[in-house]
Amino acid sequence: MKYIIAFLLILFASFADIFLFRIGIIPVQPSELLIPLFFVVCIIKYPIIDMLDIVKSHTFKLFAVLLFLTIVYSAVSTAPYEKIITQIVLNIFTLVMYVFVVHFFRTEDKKFVLLVVFSAFTVLALSVWYDYIIGLPKFTEALEGMARKGGFGENPNQASSALKFLALCVLVYLQTNKTQRLLFIIIMIMSVFMTFSRSGIISIILILILGTANNWGSQFKINPLSLFKSSFKMIFMFFFLFVGLVFFAGIIKREFPELAKGAMADRIDLLTGQSEGNVIAEDVGSGGGRGDLFLKFLDKFIKNPLGYGTSHTSDMRYTTHNTHNQYLYYAVNLGFIALLIYFIYLAVSVNLSIKNDQFYYLIFIVLLMFEGLVAHSIFFNRCMLISLAFFDSLIYRKSINQTN
């Protein structure tokens, strides 16, 4: 049974299940086949009583409260009935899957867990590389025209997000082997850079600065001096990386003409400073950039801090884009109470990382905080949810050991 669970987790975390559905290999949507199969196999393998203590975890409490608020705020929402039901179902699926995945990670052998997260990273990274060299099938004309390469993740930002979180999971197990860690870090950097995602590149910088400052250990060793030295090293390293990026971008334009058009060409020019616009212009002034969306939804929140109701920000009658911001996603849909609860959750997570002496957990929370600035519904992203469950299993692993 554990091999079936592991195989499904690899598919979920790498988005391979969605890709296989898109090209017709899997006949029905993953939500109608693979996810129910995952639940059934977990129920068969794990006694419910062994998972009851996970209900006490801070993340379970967050998901339970968000589910409750989603149901309550559905009463005042003007969004279509289908969107409201979908939102409630997604919250339920997230809650249940979280419990099963945490229990899987905390009870299985560490080498087996490493194999799962490494395999998921490898599958997704290879899909990104394959997308560049050969090209994955395009599902829509719009996707073809954009010419942006995200592998199984489809969207490069989504692919880079998954890669960085999965890579952090792998790095937890590469603390003692410097050679393996260095090789993996190089692969991580190259794979994320291939997506040309600005948020992905910033996240990689954060991982490298914090990891280096703590000497890549799981226990807290960081201090202001080591953090300063690490930041200084990263400045030089990323200077040379940027030079390499400019050189690499030139090769892409010359050797892959199909990539020198559409959104891919715009992103390459933007990151290498060859665009007529600038980094800020893409986000503010275009009408649909993250900066524009931030100002728009912040204004909506200020006008009604109590919230507009479940799925309001995904109702296309009122907006063409969702918030692209987790904090405003909670604030606009579920009001300031949900936003406050999420801030408390993040604070509790930081405290738990310090209390349990888990430095990689702190890095994860820092990335989670940053991710909230550039994406919404991040916990509905199954790779994100699996990564969260992985790091929570480091905190809540002791409870299962003590009961056995």
Side-chain angles (χ1 to χ4, degrees):
M1 288 293 182
K2 76 173 185 178
Y3 296 103
I4 297 177
I5 296 174
F7 177 72
L8 290 173
L9 287 177
I10 292 171
L11 289 181
F12 295 156
S14 64
F15 307 106
D17 59 324
I18 299 175
F19 174 78
L20 294 176
F21 167 71
R22 302 281 199 203
I23 62 177
I25 293 180
I26 297 178
V28 296
Q29 294 185 13
S31 60
E32 298 176 1
L33 175 63
L34 296 183
I35 293 180
L37 175 62
F38 175 79
F39 289 163
V40 170
V41 174
C42 287
I43 290 173
I44 294 174
K45 178 173 175 55
Y46 302 124
I48 298 298
I49 193 172
D50 287 349
M51 296 180 284
L52 290 179
D53 64 308
I54 299 178
V55 174
K56 301 177 182 178
S57 70
H58 68 303
T59 302
F60 183 93
K61 293 175 181 176
L62 171 70
F63 289 160
V65 171
L66 291 177
L67 173 59
F68 173 76
L69 290 176
T70 300
I71 295 173
V72 171
Y73 272 80
S74 65
V76 299
S77 177
T78 59
Y81 176 78
E82 295 78 10
K83 286 186 177 294
I84 294 175
I85 293 299
T86 299
Q87 191 78 5
I88 294 174
V89 171
L90 284 173
N91 274 276
I92 295 173
F93 275 21
T94 299
L95 188 68
V96 177
M97 179 174 284
Y98 168 79
V99 173
F100 286 139
V101 180
V102 168
H103 195 64
F104 171 83
F105 281 137
R106 73 176 185 173
T107 56
E108 295 300 333
D109 180 75
K110 290 184 178 180
K111 291 183 178 180
F112 188 67
V113 171
L114 170 60
L115 177 63
V116 172
V117 293
F118 179 77
S119 297
F121 173 87
T122 302
V123 170
L124 181 56
L126 287 177
S127 76
V128 172
W129 285 85
Y130 184 92
D131 207 359
Y132 262 93
I133 299 173
I134 299 176
L136 291 171
K138 301 297 183 293
F139 318 121
T140 64
E141 292 183 4
L143 189 62
E144 181 80 37
M146 289 182 70
R148 291 180 66 186
K149 302 294 186 176
F152 291 160
E154 299 181 23
N155 184 305
N157 290 324
Q158 180 168 265
S160 68
S161 175
L163 285 170
K164 71 190 180 191
F165 283 117
L166 290 172
L168 190 61
C169 294
V170 175
L171 286 171
V172 171
Y173 294 102
L174 300 181
Q175 300 174 38
T176 58
N177 194 310
K178 293 184 178 180
T179 302
Q180 291 181 1
R181 184 177 66 238
L182 178 60
L183 289 175
F184 182 77
I185 289 175
I186 292 173
I187 294 172
M188 172 186 70
I189 294 173
M190 292 176 64
S191 298
V192 172
F193 262 71
M194 291 285 284
T195 66
F196 286 91
S197 168
R198 291 171 298 168
S199 60
I201 294 173
I202 292 173
S203 296
I204 291 299
I205 294 174
L206 290 173
I207 292 174
L208 294 177
I209 289 176
L210 294 174
T212 303
N214 202 60
N215 198 28
W216 298 104
S218 61
Q219 298 178 328
F220 277 78
K221 304 174 184 176
I222 194 170
N223 57 66
L225 179 59
S226 64
L227 183 60
F228 174 78
K229 291 181 178 179
S230 175
S231 302
F232 194 70
K233 291 178 182 178
M234 292 305 110
I235 291 174
F236 279 97
M237 188 185 81
F238 272 88
F239 170 77
F240 290 108
L241 282 175
F242 181 77
V243 173
L245 175 63
V246 174
F247 177 74
F248 179 65
I251 294 178
I252 289 178
K253 284 188 171 183
R254 184 174 64 252
E255 302 297 334
F256 302 94
E258 72 278 7
L259 298 181
K261 61 181 182 180
M264 171 57 82
D266 294 340
R267 180 53 56 92
I268 292 176
D269 290 341
L270 188 67
L271 289 176
T272 56
Q274 301 174 26
S275 173
E276 294 182 359
N278 53 64
V279 175
I280 297 177
E282 185 181 271
D283 289 323
V284 179
S286 63
R290 285 188 173 88
D292 293 320
L293 294 173
F294 175 82
L295 295 175
K296 171 186 175 180
F297 285 107
L298 178 61
D299 182 62
K300 290 180 73 72
F301 171 60
I302 293 174
K303 290 180 178 179
N304 182 16
L306 294 178
Y308 292 82
T310 302
S311 296
H312 176 81
T313 58
S314 61
D315 190 343
M316 294 299 102
R317 295 176 300 174
Y318 301 105
T319 179
T320 56
H321 297 82
N322 212 314
T323 62
H324 282 68
N325 184 297
Q326 187 73 22
Y327 306 101
L328 286 176
Y329 176 81
Y330 289 143
V332 175
N333 289 305
L334 306 178
F336 74 94
I337 295 177
L339 179 61
L340 178 61
I341 289 172
Y342 188 57
F343 279 133
I344 293 174
Y345 168 78
L346 294 175
V348 170
S349 298
V350 171
N351 181 63
L352 282 173
S353 69
I354 298 173
K355 180 179 178 181
N356 291 274
D357 205 14
Q358 290 284 350
F359 188 77
Y360 278 93
Y361 194 93
L362 177 64
I363 298 178
F364 173 78
I365 297 302
V366 171
L367 294 183
L368 182 62
M369 292 177 180
F370 174 71
E371 191 75 6
L373 297 174
V374 297
H376 63 273
S377 299
I378 56 180
F379 296 122
F380 294 159
N381 180 315
R382 284 169 298 164
C383 179
M384 177 68 232
L385 180 63
I386 290 170
S387 300
L388 172 63
F390 170 86
F391 282 99
D392 274 1
S393 72
L394 301 179
I395 301 293
Y396 297 107
R397 177 184 292 273
K398 293 181 180 179
S399 61
I400 192 66
N401 291 339
Q402 290 170 356
T403 57
N404 289 344

